[in-house]
Amino acid sequence: MRKILFVASEGLPYIKSGGLADVIGSLPQAINCAKYSCAVVLPLYKKIKDKYNLEKINSFNVQSGLINTVADLYYQKFNEVEYYFIANDRYFYRDGMYGYVDDGERFAFFNKAVLEMLNILPFKVDILACNDWHTGMIPILCKKEYTDEYHRNIKTTYTIHNLLFQGNFPENLLDYFNLDRKYYENGDIRFDDGISFMKAGILYADKVTTVSQSYAREILTEEYSERMDGVLRVRENDLCGIVNGIDTRMWDSKTDANLIADYSVTKLSGKKKCKKHLQEMLGLRVADDVLLVGMISRLTWQKGVSLLLEKLSAMMNQDIQLIILGTGDNYIESQFKQLEYTYPHRAVFYCGYNEALSHQVYAGIDMLLMPSLFEPCGISQLIAMRYGSLPLVREVGGLKDTVIPYNEYEHTGNGFSFRNFSGDDLLNVLKYALNVYYYRPKEWKMLMKNAMNTDVSWNCSAQQYIALFDEILG
Ligand code: ADP
């Protein structure tokens, strides 16, 4: 049995800020098979330490430059996957996960600690599956800083969940690693006169993956590469896109404990109850026959919020209700805070992160808006489809790969989409969708069923990861 250790900065059920946590919380379990067994390692943040009763199993030293820091190792088994947590209160016992001035040092420590931890784990790791910038230095450190057989033989994958966040830090962070300076001088880890975790991960992992095929192609172009296209082209032959799935046990309208009523593709009546309950709870006019549109998202410009703000009043001139659940950029939040006053009982903004409410919104709405500027994969549209809520998306990245737009002639599709990043196009397709909702309810129902029957599980993608691991291990 070969061992894969997933390394990430967040993962369900322990902690989540976005889609990365969904992936880390469900992919390892989907890969577990006769050939491969997966484990996960995360930083032990305050929120996890305070909430979970984890077992402390060991302590070890992490040597960085001249500084010696102690890390504690905690453990818990969940859903047949072993979770390890690296603890150092100075770095991780804080209210949030990211956005601190010393993030470079914090995750440099995490990267080094993961590699040190390998020596005391009760199993031998074959592949380190690294994710996003927070783990980007691991491949180069494993290959170049460590000289022992064990580290040298380990293979690495590096998965890009979002190229926008690159982990670029001033040059002096180099002191934190015991890495030969030549890797900075020759440009391998250097980016804009600093060091880039993202660049290092891309260049030194044995294979680079990203979370959809379209995004894998897009990031080779200037428009979507966040200035990493040159670096990515170097690894083009080792780059592949594998689309994300979701945890279909956690996201299941038949068993979801957060919902007032259960429903399924063959018994949709419960969805109406969920809609009514959501409208009541959020102070919207209770009506079954109004198109209830929702958005559940980090509030950043990536998510196409500018289109929404541009067309908000035109959208609200239509016969719709709107729910926005999200938090993020202050300016965007302030814009949405006006919603309820301007459109009483027709629009609500829930400012914050709320897991339970997100389940109720996915189930209660008719349509999910996701007009992203770019979207590596997107998890929200997958959840929406599973709950029979039709996604309205921009045809970009993983949205393009997962949402099949309604074709009224062939009676196919599982959502609606538009191509250009344009407010007019968003509005037009919304009006088109409204027309289908109000005047062709049978077609709408067919689309709902198609959406619910779409395979959004990990089944197919887990096989692709397994094939990739097979290839790497020869
Ligand atoms: P990203 O990773 O870019 O944030 P994804 O669509 O891949 O976007 O994943 C977002 C995940 O975070 C989904 O599971 C979504 O339901 C969840 N989410 C986003 N915002 C909130 C929120 N305010 N409350 C609850 N869940 C949220």
Side-chain angles (χ1 to χ4, degrees):
M1 174 97 85
R2 296 297 189 93
K3 198 86 189 185
I4 319 283
L5 180 63
F6 280 84
V7 193
S9 59
E10 54 181 272
L12 284 176
Y14 300 99
I15 196 141
K16 165 168 165 179
S17 79
L20 170 62
D22 290 286
V23 174
I24 299 303
S26 51
L27 175 59
Q29 204 189 340
I31 289 174
N32 272 345
C33 58
K35 237 188 310 182
Y36 294 107
S37 150
C38 299
V40 177
V41 58
L42 303 169
L44 186 61
Y45 303 104
K46 182 174 189 287
K47 282 203 172 99
I48 306 179
K49 197 172 182 183
D50 290 352
K51 182 169 170 193
Y52 291 89
N53 191 13
L54 308 172
E55 182 190 355
K56 183 173 164 186
I57 55 168
N58 219 325
S59 292
F60 56 98
N61 286 323
V62 181
Q63 180 81 35
S64 308
L66 294 173
I67 307 164
N68 207 349
T69 312
V70 174
D72 294 327
L73 189 61
Y74 286 74
Y75 169 83
Q76 190 171 61
K77 197 163 187 172
F78 181 82
N79 271 350
E80 294 312 303
V81 176
E82 296 155 310
Y83 285 85
Y84 291 87
F85 302 88
I86 290 175
N88 176 289
D89 283 355
R90 186 161 75 86
Y91 288 133
F92 298 122
Y93 199 73
R94 306 180 187 186
D95 290 335
M97 286 191 273
Y98 321 121
Y100 296 99
V101 280
D102 59 347
D103 274 1
E105 193 180 321
R106 295 170 71 225
F107 285 96
F109 167 79
F110 179 62
N111 283 217
K112 291 218 47 150
V114 168
L115 292 166
E116 285 298 322
M117 174 192 75
L118 297 179
N119 297 318
I120 57 163
L121 286 180
F123 50 79
K124 194 174 151 291
V125 171
D126 295 289
I127 295 179
L128 284 167
C130 306
N131 294 279
D132 268 354
W133 77 262
H134 318 88
T135 62
M137 291 299 287
I138 288 177
I140 186 172
L141 295 175
C142 193
K143 288 189 169 93
K144 303 297 181 190
E145 191 179 305
Y146 287 81
T147 51
D148 60 286
E149 279 280 288
Y150 179 26
H151 283 90
R152 285 261 158 126
N153 287 332
I154 289 178
K155 302 290 183 193
T156 55
T157 61
Y158 181 67
T159 301
I160 301 167
H161 296 262
N162 193 335
L163 198 53
L164 180 64
F165 306 107
Q166 303 185 340
N168 298 336
F169 299 102
E171 180 197 340
N172 61 11
L173 191 64
L174 207 55
D175 299 342
Y176 208 84
F177 304 106
N178 305 322
L179 195 64
D180 194 322
R181 207 184 148 76
K182 76 177 181 202
Y183 299 108
Y184 178 78
E185 303 292 350
N186 71 10
D188 282 4
I189 60 170
R190 181 175 183 164
F191 198 67
D192 286 346
D193 291 328
I195 72 165
S196 170
F197 280 51
M198 177 64 83
K199 183 176 180 183
I202 293 170
L203 287 182
Y204 277 87
D206 292 297
K207 290 280 178 192
V208 181
T209 75
T210 185
V211 288
S212 69
Q213 287 185 354
S214 286
Y215 193 59
R217 281 191 298 274
E218 287 165 358
I219 56 179
L220 292 168
T221 67
E222 235 182 283
E223 188 181 353
Y224 291 99
S225 75
E226 309 293 341
R227 295 166 61 234
M228 284 283 170
D229 45 312
V231 180
L232 282 158
R233 272 198 296 273
V234 173
R235 297 305 311 276
E236 195 173 341
N237 291 334
D238 294 308
L239 170 70
C240 70
I242 303 177
V243 74
N244 284 338
I246 56 170
D247 183 339
T248 47
R249 281 194 296 182
M250 179 175 137
W251 298 105
D252 185 350
S253 57
K254 292 195 283 295
T255 56
D256 193 330
N258 298 292
L259 307 186
I260 187 126
D262 58 297
Y263 62 95
S264 69
V265 71
T266 51
K267 188 181 131 287
L268 280 168
S269 53
K271 189 165 169 65
K272 280 187 197 286
K273 293 186 190 144
C274 293
K275 180 172 177 177
K276 180 166 181 271
H277 179 245
L278 186 66
Q279 287 170 325
E280 277 168 359
M281 193 171 62
L282 296 179
L284 295 169
R285 184 174 68 87
V286 175
D288 179 39
D289 60 354
V290 60
L291 183 83
L292 180 51
V293 179
M295 183 168 188
I296 301 171
S297 182
R298 287 185 296 119
L299 296 180
T300 71
W301 301 111
Q302 175 199 331
K303 299 297 177 181
V305 178
S306 57
L307 302 188
L308 209 62
L309 290 176
E310 178 196 328
K311 292 295 173 191
L312 202 55
S313 66
M315 280 170 61
M316 293 310 296
N317 279 339
Q318 309 299 311
D319 193 10
I320 66 164
Q321 292 182 345
L322 179 64
I323 297 173
I324 294 175
L325 165 58
T327 174
D329 185 284
N330 287 340
Y331 173 78
I332 301 173
E333 285 184 359
S334 71
Q335 293 297 303
F336 286 140
K337 278 183 182 148
Q338 313 293 330
L339 263 182
E340 278 149 84
Y341 302 102
T342 321
Y343 309 102
H345 310 297
R346 292 191 56 218
V348 259
F349 171 43
Y350 182 102
C351 184
Y353 185 92
N354 188 327
E355 192 72 33
L357 180 60
S358 79
H359 285 246
Q360 292 160 347
V361 176
Y362 281 120
I365 55 175
D366 298 297
M367 174 176 261
L368 181 89
L369 272 189
M370 230 170 147
S372 302
L373 180 60
F374 68 93
E375 196 59 71
C377 178
I379 295 287
S380 296
Q381 85 281 11
L382 303 179
I383 303 172
M385 287 196 276
R386 181 138 171 91
Y387 279 61
S389 307
L390 301 184
L392 190 171
V393 304
R394 178 165 171 246
E395 291 162 22
V396 70
L399 297 174
K400 188 169 149 188
D401 296 357
T402 55
V403 176
I404 306 164
Y406 173 48
N407 181 321
E408 63 184 39
Y409 305 104
E410 292 172 11
H411 307 282
T412 55
N414 55 21
F416 296 88
S417 66
F418 62 101
R419 187 172 309 169
N420 296 324
F421 192 71
S422 137
D424 287 332
D425 290 9
L426 166 64
L427 187 61
N428 285 337
V429 70
L430 177 70
K431 286 181 181 168
Y432 177 61
L434 261 169
N435 192 280
V436 179
Y437 181 79
Y438 286 117
Y439 300 110
R440 283 174 276 170
K442 279 193 184 135
E443 290 286 279
W444 188 275
K445 201 165 178 184
M446 172 205 71
L447 290 173
M448 281 172 76
K449 290 187 170 179
N450 288 352
M452 293 178 87
N453 284 327
T454 303
D455 183 5
V456 292
S457 76
W458 277 107
N459 292 346
C460 186
S461 298
Q463 291 310 315
Q464 292 178 43
Y465 276 102
I466 287 173
L468 184 79
F469 296 149
D470 286 347
E471 189 190 334
I472 295 174
L473 294 173

